[in-house]
Amino acid sequence: MDDLEDQGLPLTALAIAAGRAVETSRPDGLVADPFALALVEAARSHVDFPTSWPADPTAASPLQRPLLLASIYIAVRTRFIDDFLRSGPPTPQTVLLGAGLDTRAYRLPWAGGSRVFEIDHANVLEFKAGVLGRLSAEPRCELSTVATDLSRPWREPLLSAGFDPHQPTSWILEGLLPYLDAAAQLSVLKEVAALSAPGSRAVIERAVPLPKTDEVEAKLRDFSLQTGLSMSEVLARADPPDPADLLTSAGWLCSGYSVQELCAAYNRALSLDAPGLPAPSQEPASGQSRGGFVTALR
């Protein structure tokens, strides 16, 4: 099999799967994903992603340390969204926007008749289906995949796949908004609101707004030079819409959760050194780049 980049798959999707594999290997794991390791191994990436929690994480190499730290955040995020889906009355439909290598359709218990829609690029969905097919894995719900680009209009492909806007829906926006520019984020959120029948709900990972300071502008210029992205493209992500504001104005009931709150709830520190929690008044440095989460009920 060709390596990940040759397949055109995003490294971020693989990194998240690797994070779930690491968490699954932990004796105190917040998430059990029996498919994550196979997805990482099948990609044969040139990046040496960790897939298990080391006996001494503080001795990890300089490359592995940030990846292990990322796995802690991925574990907390994944468990929070899993718990959201398991709480409250189930909706007949669930839509994962930017599903990536997510395996919730295969590993979570779903109520009878539940339908799950996964939206992402065709190559991502095809890669995942191929790996899971070779494992003889079967979804635990009625699964429909929708191959489309979420930075472009996606309502019609979703409707064509059988989505019913008159039925309550659970929406999952995990690791999506930070990768869209502000205009595309606004478009996605407005579409979610427009397609949601009463009784719908959503869990959304926020994009982080960038403060307009000289220091931040200088960092953005450096980032632009390093990545080859134009400054206008970088700045297009600088002032994202607030999902809570938008959905509240549309009549939804919203709640916000910081990364620090979720770390406390799941007794995890964003640190390789200390098993205990960080001080309640101090947000971990790695958490400062995160925007937290919004849950919403219509």
Side-chain angles (χ1 to χ4, degrees):
M1 179 180 290
D2 294 334
D3 68 24
L4 186 74
E5 287 189 327
D6 286 345
Q7 297 174 65
L9 298 175
L11 286 175
T12 51
L14 183 59
I16 294 167
R20 294 198 306 271
V22 170
E23 188 64 18
T24 299
S25 77
R26 291 180 60 143
D28 60 345
L30 297 175
V31 176
D33 185 342
F35 311 109
L37 178 59
L39 288 165
V40 177
E41 290 179 341
R44 298 169 66 178
S45 171
H46 69 280
V47 177
D48 184 21
F49 287 105
T51 54
S52 62
W53 188 255
D56 181 9
T58 62
S61 70
L63 172 63
Q64 296 274 298
R65 284 180 67 87
L67 296 173
L68 288 171
L69 276 171
S71 78
I72 300 173
Y73 174 76
I74 290 165
V76 169
R77 180 179 79 177
T78 303
R79 176 60 179 271
F80 175 66
I81 295 174
D82 286 356
D83 286 349
F84 170 84
L85 286 172
R86 287 188 287 240
S87 68
T91 58
Q93 304 175 131
T94 298
V95 180
L96 284 75
L97 293 172
L101 300 180
D102 183 89
T103 61
R104 288 187 177 94
Y106 294 82
R107 63 179 180 80
L108 291 186
W110 295 89
S114 294
R115 189 162 189 187
V116 173
F117 297 87
E118 295 186 344
I119 304 182
D120 213 316
H121 293 282
N123 59 323
V124 176
L125 298 172
E126 289 167 3
F127 170 79
K128 179 167 62 175
V131 174
L132 294 176
R134 289 192 291 276
L135 295 174
S136 299
E138 295 288 342
R140 303 172 73 178
C141 57
E142 184 181 349
L143 176 62
S144 298
T145 57
V146 183
T148 193
D149 183 346
L150 285 162
S151 66
R152 299 173 181 173
W154 48 270
R155 176 189 292 219
E156 290 307 319
L158 180 59
L159 293 174
S160 296
F163 175 82
D164 183 355
H166 303 294
Q167 293 287 328
T169 304
S170 293
W171 299 90
I172 302 175
L173 283 73
E174 176 186 23
L176 170 66
L177 296 186
Y179 295 96
L180 300 176
D181 63 38
Q185 289 182 44
L186 183 61
S187 176
V188 165
L189 292 168
K190 285 184 173 180
E191 199 71 288
V192 166
L195 290 171
S196 294
S200 293
R201 56 190 193 145
V203 57
I204 302 167
E205 184 180 14
R206 294 176 184 266
V208 181
L210 300 174
K212 296 177 181 178
T213 66
D214 292 341
E215 181 183 2
V216 169
E217 249 189 61
K219 288 181 178 179
L220 290 176
R221 279 194 295 271
D222 290 343
F223 178 78
S224 177
L225 290 171
Q226 291 168 5
T227 62
L229 294 172
S230 69
M231 270 296 286
S232 60
E233 191 173 347
V234 173
L235 288 173
R237 290 166 167 76
D239 189 21
D242 186 333
D245 286 349
L246 188 147
L247 292 178
T248 298
S249 67
W252 296 57
L253 179 64
C254 296
S255 300
Y257 303 85
S258 70
V259 175
Q260 177 70 358
E261 287 173 322
L262 297 187
C263 286
Y266 294 116
N267 195 31
R268 279 292 169 87
L270 293 178
S271 167
L272 299 183
D273 303 300
L277 289 172
S281 61
Q282 183 180 12
E283 180 79 3
S286 56
Q288 291 172 355
S289 64
R290 310 291 185 180
F293 298 83
V294 172
T295 61
L297 175 64
R298 184 179 175 201

